[in-house]
Amino acid sequence: QVQLVESGGGLVQAGGSLRLSCAASGLTFSMNSMGWFRQAPGKEREIVAAISTSGLNTYYKYSVKGRFTISRDNAKNTVFLQMNSLESEDTAVYYCAANRGSSLSDQRSYDYWGQGTQVTVSS
C-alpha cells in the first residue's frame, strides 16, 4: 500500500533553516508528481511547492519563492523541501502528497498524503 512518511520538522528561530524529507513506498514514485502542503492553526491547507515527475517543472507559493527549494531523488523514492530564511508565518504542519495527474497546483490532483510534520518558527 502507499505510504508517505515525512521527517525533518522541528523548532527553529526566524532566519534559520530546515530540510524536510518525504519517503514514499507502495507507488511508482517516478510516475508521480510530488507536492508539499502546509496547514497553520485556524487556516486552510495550502500548497507550498510541487515538483513534476522528472524534477524539471516546479511550482511555489509566492511567499516562499527564493527561500524554499523542492527537489526529488527518484532513485531513493524521496522528495525534499529545503526551507531557508524561515519566518514566523511559515509555522504549520507540513504534508507530503503524491499526484498522478498533470496539474501541480490543484490539491484535488493529489491522491495520497503523509501524516505531516510540525514546523515551528520562533521570533
Side-chain angles (χ1 to χ4, degrees):
Q1 63 176 336
V2 174
Q3 187 169 321
L4 304 176
V5 180
E6 302 97 333
S7 61
L11 173 64
V12 297
Q13 294 186 26
S17 298
L18 283 174
R19 188 190 191 218
L20 305 183
S21 298
C22 173
S25 61
L27 76 167
T28 305
F29 184 76
S30 62
M31 295 181 66
N32 283 261
S33 298
M34 301 297 296
W36 286 98
F37 297 77
R38 69 187 183 189
Q39 187 166 25
K43 297 183 178 180
E44 295 186 3
R45 186 175 61 199
E46 63 181 0
I47 191 167
V48 178
I51 188 166
S52 64
T53 57
S54 66
L56 296 177
N57 297 321
T58 57
Y59 169 87
Y60 294 96
K61 173 180 169 63
Y62 180 81
S63 65
V64 310
K65 288 182 177 179
R67 300 190 296 119
F68 292 10
T69 302
I70 189 170
S71 61
R72 66 189 296 159
D73 186 341
N74 285 351
K76 297 182 178 179
N77 289 354
T78 304
V79 62
F80 306 94
L81 185 67
Q82 178 67 46
M83 304 186 293
N84 299 326
S85 301
L86 283 162
E87 305 167 352
S88 296
E89 292 75 15
D90 297 316
T91 295
V93 177
Y94 283 70
Y95 299 91
C96 173
N99 175 1
R100 292 189 296 168
S102 60
S103 177
L104 295 182
S105 60
D106 186 356
Q107 291 193 47
R108 296 173 296 180
S109 296
Y110 291 83
D111 301 306
Y112 302 104
W113 297 78
Q115 82 289 348
T117 185
Q118 177 71 48
V119 172
T120 303
V121 184
S122 64
S123 59

